[in-house]
DNA sequence: TAACGCATGTAACAGGTTACATGATTTA
DNA sequence: TAAATCATGTAACCTGTTACATGCGTTA
């Protein structure tokens, strides 16, 4: 079984207590190249986890900022996470809307295809820049060797595909 | 809006009429590295497309094999597809259960992590082999330059990440 | 005789998305 | 004064997954 939002959130809380807002931030910065999350998934999941007693909620009142809820993992939650992390990994899933458009692009104009290339190239470049700037922040707080690999994987992926796109965009002119 | 199962199936039918079984085959062989489909999605989608009059169904009775339904796209279906293919592309999504496990692998034994690496390496190698053997079949029937790029993209992706995994697996020993 | 290829389908469910709703403080 | 940051939440919806059900002919 794949680790879903449920298990991923437990994994983050297993390191230290967090608010939903912070969980989103971690997901967006450190794991965004292999997992995607939205508030619309995070808050409902936290609510369910609390109902299942896998996490506990501590409400903090703040005056200058909105009140917040800090979630802490329970022993039961740790057991669920521990089981999930020990399960075999399942197949990676890539969904590329760009490649889908390219696959069916016979009827599109060269200009339209060129535009799609440009946009995808810009996205990859932005992702590389984001990952690389993230690495600096990350190294400051200390980073495990294994997390460094998830980073290297992302960079390798974006770099290799960017090269293919740039070459293809050139021959599309 | 991303091209979903609906639009992808229309895209395949836009080239020529097919059965659901054939659509699955095309998806599994040519597009499997950037889209994934199952019969559980294909058949219900075809049914909906028929109800919306975007495709028509022709029932073929066979004696030595199960009967089959051949679906043909309608003018309305072509209009829907044409609109979809002209829309801007949306962000690519990668979900890697392997990277997720690696990210949270602090508490796992070195052996367990090594096993995850082995399995992921084997998967990538299998995917490269599948894509490469597919290329041969593909070239025979004639392949557009653009489809060749979707292939190159897949190979580049798998090759680059495989290298990262092999290096990391070595230092994990 | 086991497995694979051909061939279709449904019902229940899970999981996540989208859109909406609120609102103070700080920074540019 | 516009935008960003902090901060939470729900309701409706969409899309796809999983499991089940069927069955003949051919190949290993």
């Amino acid at each position: 079984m794949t680790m879903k939002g449920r298990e991923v959130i437990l994994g983050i809380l297993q390191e230290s207590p967090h608010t939903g807002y912070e969980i989103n931030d971690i997901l967006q910065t450190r794991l965004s190249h292999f997992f995607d999350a939205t508030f619309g998934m995070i808050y409902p999941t936290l609510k369910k986890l609390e109902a299942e007693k896998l996490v506990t909620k501590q409400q903090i009142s703040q005056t200058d900022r909105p009140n917040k809820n800090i979630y802490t993992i329970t022993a039961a939650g740790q057991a669920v996470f521990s089981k999930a992390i020990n399960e075999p990994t399942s197949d990676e899933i890539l969904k590329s809307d760009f490649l889908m458009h390219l696959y069916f692009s016979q009827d599109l104009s060269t200009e339209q295809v060129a535009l799609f290339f440009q946009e995808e190239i810009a996205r990859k470049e932005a992702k590389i820049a984001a990952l690389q700037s993230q690495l600096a922040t990350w190294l400051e707080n200390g980073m495990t060797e294994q997390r460094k690999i998830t980073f290297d994987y992302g960079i390798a992926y974006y770099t290799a595909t960017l090269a293919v796109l740039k070459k293809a965009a050139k021959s599309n002119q």
Side-chain angles (χ1 to χ4, degrees), chain A:
Chain A
M1 282 298 105
T2 313
M3 290 176 74
K4 307 284 164 83
R6 195 180 121 102
E7 291 79 27
V8 173
I9 288 176
L10 285 176
I12 291 172
L13 293 180
Q14 182 237 17
E15 293 178 39
S16 60
H18 287 291
T19 65
Y21 192 83
E22 290 167 351
I23 290 171
N24 178 66
D25 191 56
I26 292 169
L27 255 17
Q28 299 300 328
T29 52
R30 292 164 158 68
L31 295 86
S32 68
H33 59 296
F34 59 90
F35 188 80
D36 65 277
T38 55
F39 283 125
M41 166 249 158
I42 295 168
Y43 289 120
T45 301
L46 283 169
K47 200 181 178 182
K48 278 173 218 151
L49 287 173
E50 197 197 355
E52 291 179 85
K53 312 232 175 185
L54 303 182
V55 304
T56 55
K57 177 169 74 175
Q58 187 196 356
Q59 292 175 301
I60 308 279
S61 295
Q62 298 186 126
T63 48
D64 57 334
R65 287 181 186 178
N67 295 339
K68 61 183 179 181
N69 304 326
I70 298 181
Y71 292 90
T72 305
I73 196 166
T74 64
Q78 289 191 348
V80 168
F81 173 73
S82 180
K83 198 184 163 195
I85 196 75
N86 277 286
E87 297 246 333
T89 59
S90 46
D91 265 38
E92 184 183 81
I93 293 167
L94 174 66
K95 293 212 180 192
S96 171
D97 196 39
F98 164 75
L99 291 182
M100 191 58 81
H101 274 73
L102 194 60
Y103 185 91
F104 288 120
S105 64
Q106 299 100 295
D107 301 326
L108 296 178
S109 67
T110 310
E111 293 76 39
Q112 179 65 78
V113 174
L115 183 62
F116 287 154
F117 271 115
Q118 274 170 45
E119 287 172 347
E120 193 66 14
I121 287 169
R123 278 186 190 135
K124 300 277 185 230
E125 284 173 343
K127 279 170 174 173
I128 291 173
L131 262 187
Q132 233 133 22
S133 93
Q134 180 54 32
L135 179 65
T137 323
W138 219 351
L139 287 172
E140 283 170 33
N141 298 38
M143 184 190 203
T144 65
E145 191 53 40
Q146 285 146 357
R147 290 186 183 183
K148 177 65 165 47
I149 296 162
T150 67
F151 169 86
D152 291 341
Y153 187 105
I155 292 286
Y157 166 37
Y158 293 137
T159 306
T161 52
L162 180 58
V164 171
L165 296 181
K166 281 191 171 172
K167 196 184 161 199
K170 220 173 222 174
S171 68
N172 181 246
Q173 282 173 350

